[in-house]
Short mmCIF file of all heavy atoms in Angstrom, two decimals:
data_model
loop_
_atom_site.label_atom_id
_atom_site.label_comp_id
_atom_site.label_asym_id
_atom_site.label_seq_id
_atom_site.Cartn_x
_atom_site.Cartn_y
_atom_site.Cartn_z
N LEU P 209 103.06 105.98 126.24
CA LEU P 209 103.16 107.23 127.05
C LEU P 209 101.91 107.92 127.23
O LEU P 209 101.62 108.39 128.38
CB LEU P 209 104.24 108.11 126.30
CG LEU P 209 104.77 109.41 127.07
CD1 LEU P 209 105.47 108.94 128.39
CD2 LEU P 209 105.53 110.21 126.27
N SER P 210 101.07 107.95 126.23
CA SER P 210 99.75 108.55 126.26
C SER P 210 98.85 107.80 127.37
O SER P 210 98.26 108.42 128.18
CB SER P 210 99.14 108.59 124.99
OG SER P 210 97.84 109.09 125.07
N MET P 211 98.93 106.46 127.32
CA MET P 211 98.09 105.73 128.30
C MET P 211 98.62 105.81 129.65
O MET P 211 97.83 105.86 130.54
CB MET P 211 98.06 104.19 127.85
CG MET P 211 97.43 103.88 126.53
SD MET P 211 95.76 104.29 126.45
CE MET P 211 95.86 105.85 125.44
N VAL P 212 99.92 105.97 129.84
CA VAL P 212 100.46 106.20 131.17
C VAL P 212 100.02 107.51 131.74
O VAL P 212 99.59 107.64 132.90
CB VAL P 212 102.03 106.19 131.12
CG1 VAL P 212 102.63 106.77 132.36
CG2 VAL P 212 102.54 104.79 130.85
N THR P 213 99.91 108.54 130.85
CA THR P 213 99.45 109.85 131.38
C THR P 213 98.02 109.75 131.66
O THR P 213 97.62 110.35 132.77
CB THR P 213 99.56 110.88 130.09
OG1 THR P 213 101.04 110.97 129.75
CG2 THR P 213 99.11 112.28 130.58
N GLN P 214 97.18 109.03 130.88
CA GLN P 214 95.75 109.01 131.29
C GLN P 214 95.52 107.98 132.54
O GLN P 214 94.65 108.38 133.26
CB GLN P 214 94.95 108.24 130.08
CG GLN P 214 95.17 108.98 128.66
CD GLN P 214 94.73 110.51 128.76
OE1 GLN P 214 94.14 110.86 129.73
NE2 GLN P 214 95.20 111.21 127.73
N SER P 215 96.45 107.14 132.76
CA SER P 215 96.33 106.38 133.92
C SER P 215 96.61 107.09 135.13
O SER P 215 95.97 106.84 136.14
CB SER P 215 97.26 105.06 133.84
OG SER P 215 97.34 104.39 135.11
N ARG P 216 97.50 108.07 135.10
CA ARG P 216 97.79 108.88 136.35
C ARG P 216 96.59 109.75 136.55
O ARG P 216 96.29 110.07 137.78
CB ARG P 216 99.04 109.81 136.10
CG ARG P 216 100.34 108.91 135.92
CD ARG P 216 101.44 109.86 135.41
NE ARG P 216 102.62 109.08 135.41
CZ ARG P 216 103.78 109.53 134.79
NH1 ARG P 216 103.74 110.70 134.09
NH2 ARG P 216 104.93 108.89 134.79
N ALA P 217 95.86 110.20 135.51
CA ALA P 217 94.73 111.02 135.76
C ALA P 217 93.51 110.13 136.20
O ALA P 217 92.60 110.72 136.98
CB ALA P 217 94.33 111.88 134.54
N ASN P 218 93.50 108.98 135.75
CA ASN P 218 92.17 108.07 136.00
C ASN P 218 92.64 106.65 136.33
O ASN P 218 92.45 105.78 135.41
CB ASN P 218 91.24 108.23 134.94
CG ASN P 218 89.99 107.48 135.24
OD1 ASN P 218 89.60 107.13 136.31
ND2 ASN P 218 89.14 107.22 134.24
N PRO P 219 93.29 106.35 137.38
CA PRO P 219 93.81 105.00 137.65
C PRO P 219 92.74 103.86 137.71
O PRO P 219 93.02 102.76 137.67
CB PRO P 219 94.58 105.17 139.08
CG PRO P 219 93.89 106.45 139.65
CD PRO P 219 93.51 107.31 138.51
N SER P 220 91.57 104.31 137.91
CA SER P 220 90.46 103.30 138.10
C SER P 220 90.23 102.54 136.71
O SER P 220 89.58 101.41 136.77
CB SER P 220 89.15 103.91 138.67
OG SER P 220 88.64 104.85 137.60
N LYS P 221 90.68 103.12 135.69
CA LYS P 221 90.51 102.47 134.32
C LYS P 221 91.86 101.80 133.79
O LYS P 221 92.01 101.80 132.57
CB LYS P 221 90.00 103.55 133.30
CG LYS P 221 88.77 104.28 133.76
CD LYS P 221 87.57 103.44 133.88
CE LYS P 221 87.12 102.89 132.53
NZ LYS P 221 85.85 102.09 132.65
N ASN P 222 92.65 101.34 134.79
CA ASN P 222 93.95 100.79 134.30
C ASN P 222 93.78 99.67 133.30
O ASN P 222 94.73 99.50 132.45
CB ASN P 222 94.72 100.42 135.52
CG ASN P 222 95.54 101.60 136.00
OD1 ASN P 222 95.72 102.58 135.39
ND2 ASN P 222 96.12 101.40 137.25
N LEU P 223 92.79 98.78 133.50
CA LEU P 223 92.55 97.68 132.56
C LEU P 223 92.33 98.26 131.14
O LEU P 223 92.88 97.68 130.13
CB LEU P 223 91.35 96.80 132.99
CG LEU P 223 91.64 96.03 134.28
CD1 LEU P 223 90.21 95.27 134.58
CD2 LEU P 223 92.67 94.96 134.17
N LEU P 224 91.60 99.24 131.06
CA LEU P 224 91.37 99.93 129.75
C LEU P 224 92.68 100.48 129.15
O LEU P 224 92.95 100.33 127.92
CB LEU P 224 90.36 101.02 129.82
CG LEU P 224 89.70 101.60 128.67
CD1 LEU P 224 88.97 100.48 127.95
CD2 LEU P 224 88.80 102.75 128.93
N TRP P 225 93.39 101.32 129.90
CA TRP P 225 94.68 101.86 129.48
C TRP P 225 95.69 100.73 129.14
O TRP P 225 96.35 100.94 128.00
CB TRP P 225 95.23 102.77 130.55
CG TRP P 225 94.36 103.78 131.15
CD1 TRP P 225 94.24 103.96 132.46
CD2 TRP P 225 93.45 104.63 130.50
NE1 TRP P 225 93.24 104.93 132.69
CE2 TRP P 225 92.80 105.40 131.49
CE3 TRP P 225 93.17 104.92 129.09
CZ2 TRP P 225 91.80 106.37 131.16
CZ3 TRP P 225 92.27 105.84 128.89
CH2 TRP P 225 91.61 106.58 129.79
N ALA P 226 95.77 99.71 129.87
CA ALA P 226 96.72 98.69 129.57
C ALA P 226 96.29 97.91 128.30
O ALA P 226 97.13 97.58 127.45
CB ALA P 226 96.66 97.62 130.70
N GLY P 227 95.03 97.73 128.10
CA GLY P 227 94.48 97.17 126.84
C GLY P 227 94.94 97.99 125.53
O GLY P 227 95.29 97.37 124.46
N GLY P 228 94.92 99.28 125.74
CA GLY P 228 95.26 100.17 124.65
C GLY P 228 96.74 99.94 124.29
O GLY P 228 97.14 99.91 123.19
N VAL P 229 97.69 99.92 125.39
CA VAL P 229 99.07 99.59 125.09
C VAL P 229 99.28 98.37 124.40
O VAL P 229 100.03 98.30 123.43
CB VAL P 229 99.83 99.70 126.52
CG1 VAL P 229 101.27 99.36 126.23
CG2 VAL P 229 99.66 101.12 127.13
N VAL P 230 98.69 97.24 124.89
CA VAL P 230 98.95 95.96 124.33
C VAL P 230 98.50 95.86 122.86
O VAL P 230 99.17 95.37 121.96
CB VAL P 230 98.19 94.87 125.22
CG1 VAL P 230 98.40 93.49 124.53
CG2 VAL P 230 98.76 94.80 126.63
N LEU P 231 97.28 96.51 122.59
CA LEU P 231 96.71 96.43 121.22
C LEU P 231 97.68 97.31 120.37
O LEU P 231 97.84 96.87 119.26
CB LEU P 231 95.35 97.05 121.20
CG LEU P 231 94.59 97.07 119.88
CD1 LEU P 231 94.52 95.57 119.32
CD2 LEU P 231 93.23 97.66 120.02
N ALA P 232 98.08 98.48 120.77
CA ALA P 232 99.00 99.22 119.85
C ALA P 232 100.34 98.42 119.54
O ALA P 232 100.82 98.63 118.47
CB ALA P 232 99.35 100.56 120.60
N SER P 233 100.70 97.72 120.56
CA SER P 233 102.10 96.93 120.36
C SER P 233 101.78 95.83 119.32
O SER P 233 102.80 95.43 118.59
CB SER P 233 102.53 96.30 121.73
OG SER P 233 102.85 97.25 122.51
N GLN P 234 100.62 95.42 119.11
CA GLN P 234 100.43 94.32 118.10
C GLN P 234 100.58 94.97 116.66
O GLN P 234 100.99 94.33 115.68
CB GLN P 234 98.98 93.75 118.27
CG GLN P 234 98.74 93.15 119.66
CD GLN P 234 99.83 92.36 120.29
OE1 GLN P 234 100.28 91.38 119.65
NE2 GLN P 234 100.30 92.87 121.42
N MET P 235 100.31 96.26 116.56
CA MET P 235 100.53 96.95 115.32
C MET P 235 102.06 97.04 114.98
O MET P 235 102.38 96.91 113.92
CB MET P 235 99.89 98.39 115.41
CG MET P 235 98.39 98.36 115.66
SD MET P 235 97.41 97.62 114.38
CE MET P 235 96.92 96.05 115.21
N MET P 236 102.82 97.14 116.06
CA MET P 236 104.31 97.20 115.87
C MET P 236 104.77 95.90 115.28
O MET P 236 105.50 95.85 114.39
CB MET P 236 104.93 97.48 117.22
CG MET P 236 106.45 97.35 117.19
SD MET P 236 107.28 97.07 118.75
CE MET P 236 106.87 95.31 118.98
N LEU P 237 104.16 94.73 115.81
CA LEU P 237 104.53 93.44 115.26
C LEU P 237 104.08 93.30 113.82
O LEU P 237 104.79 92.61 113.03
CB LEU P 237 103.95 92.36 116.12
CG LEU P 237 104.38 92.30 117.54
CD1 LEU P 237 103.50 91.18 118.34
CD2 LEU P 237 105.89 92.15 117.69
N GLY P 238 102.94 93.86 113.42
CA GLY P 238 102.54 93.82 112.06
C GLY P 238 103.48 94.57 111.22
O GLY P 238 103.87 94.10 110.01
N ARG P 239 103.99 95.57 111.58
CA ARG P 239 104.98 96.45 110.84
C ARG P 239 106.35 95.62 110.66
O ARG P 239 106.85 95.64 109.66
CB ARG P 239 105.30 97.82 111.48
CG ARG P 239 104.11 98.72 111.59
CD ARG P 239 104.62 100.19 111.71
NE ARG P 239 105.62 100.33 112.74
CZ ARG P 239 105.47 100.51 114.12
NH1 ARG P 239 104.18 100.58 114.43
NH2 ARG P 239 106.48 100.67 114.92
N LEU P 240 106.61 94.93 111.80
CA LEU P 240 107.84 94.10 111.70
C LEU P 240 107.76 93.05 110.58
O LEU P 240 108.79 92.87 109.91
CB LEU P 240 108.05 93.44 113.13
CG LEU P 240 109.29 92.64 113.30
CD1 LEU P 240 109.62 92.77 114.87
CD2 LEU P 240 109.10 91.16 113.03
N LEU P 241 106.64 92.49 110.44
CA LEU P 241 106.47 91.52 109.40
C LEU P 241 106.59 92.08 108.00
O LEU P 241 107.07 91.56 107.05
CB LEU P 241 105.21 90.73 109.51
CG LEU P 241 105.08 89.68 110.67
CD1 LEU P 241 103.66 89.10 110.75
CD2 LEU P 241 106.14 88.64 110.59
N VAL P 242 106.00 93.32 107.88
CA VAL P 242 106.01 93.97 106.63
C VAL P 242 107.43 94.34 106.20
O VAL P 242 107.89 94.13 105.08
CB VAL P 242 105.24 95.27 106.76
CG1 VAL P 242 105.44 96.21 105.36
CG2 VAL P 242 103.75 94.92 106.84
N TRP P 243 108.22 94.81 107.10
CA TRP P 243 109.62 95.20 106.85
C TRP P 243 110.48 93.84 106.58
O TRP P 243 111.33 93.88 105.73
CB TRP P 243 110.32 95.92 107.96
CG TRP P 243 109.62 97.21 108.45
CD1 TRP P 243 109.41 97.58 109.70
CD2 TRP P 243 108.93 98.09 107.56
NE1 TRP P 243 108.70 98.71 109.79
CE2 TRP P 243 108.41 99.14 108.55
CE3 TRP P 243 108.75 98.26 106.25
CZ2 TRP P 243 107.70 100.23 108.03
CZ3 TRP P 243 108.05 99.36 105.75
CH2 TRP P 243 107.51 100.32 106.61
N SER P 244 110.20 92.84 107.31
CA SER P 244 110.89 91.54 107.04
C SER P 244 110.64 91.01 105.73
O SER P 244 111.46 90.17 105.15
CB SER P 244 110.52 90.52 108.19
OG SER P 244 110.93 91.01 109.43
N ALA P 245 109.51 91.35 105.14
CA ALA P 245 109.15 90.76 103.85
C ALA P 245 110.06 91.20 102.67
O ALA P 245 110.12 90.66 101.56
CB ALA P 245 107.67 91.20 103.46
N THR P 246 110.98 92.32 102.92
CA THR P 246 111.96 92.62 102.00
C THR P 246 112.89 91.61 101.80
O THR P 246 113.68 91.58 100.80
CB THR P 246 112.67 94.00 102.36
OG1 THR P 246 113.16 93.79 103.74
CG2 THR P 246 111.53 95.10 102.47
N ALA P 247 112.98 90.66 102.75
CA ALA P 247 113.90 89.45 102.58
C ALA P 247 113.02 88.23 102.73
O ALA P 247 112.84 87.86 103.93
CB ALA P 247 115.09 89.52 103.57
N PRO P 248 112.56 87.63 101.73
CA PRO P 248 111.53 86.44 101.85
C PRO P 248 112.11 85.42 102.72
O PRO P 248 111.33 84.72 103.59
CB PRO P 248 111.52 85.98 100.40
CG PRO P 248 111.67 87.20 99.56
CD PRO P 248 112.80 87.92 100.32
N ALA P 249 113.40 85.08 102.73
CA ALA P 249 113.90 84.09 103.60
C ALA P 249 113.84 84.41 105.05
O ALA P 249 113.62 83.54 105.92
CB ALA P 249 115.48 83.76 103.23
N LEU P 250 113.99 85.67 105.38
CA LEU P 250 113.81 86.19 106.74
C LEU P 250 112.40 86.00 107.20
O LEU P 250 112.11 85.67 108.25
CB LEU P 250 114.34 87.64 106.74
CG LEU P 250 114.33 88.31 108.09
CD1 LEU P 250 115.17 87.61 109.12
CD2 LEU P 250 114.68 89.78 108.00
N LEU P 251 111.46 86.49 106.32
CA LEU P 251 110.08 86.31 106.67
C LEU P 251 109.63 84.89 106.84
O LEU P 251 108.75 84.76 107.76
CB LEU P 251 109.21 87.03 105.47
CG LEU P 251 107.69 87.03 105.68
CD1 LEU P 251 107.31 87.73 106.99
CD2 LEU P 251 107.04 87.47 104.52
#
Side-chain angles (χ1 to χ4, degrees):
L209 188 63
S210 176
M211 296 300 103
V212 169
T213 301
Q214 305 303 345
S215 174
R216 289 171 180 166
N218 187 14
S220 65
K221 307 295 292 184
N222 273 344
L223 289 175
L224 193 64
W225 311 131
V229 174
V230 177
L231 182 59
S233 295
Q234 307 318 299
M235 300 301 104
M236 176 202 74
L237 296 177
R239 297 200 314 271
L240 184 150
L241 288 179
V242 172
W243 305 141
S244 300
T246 57
L250 181 62
L251 180 63

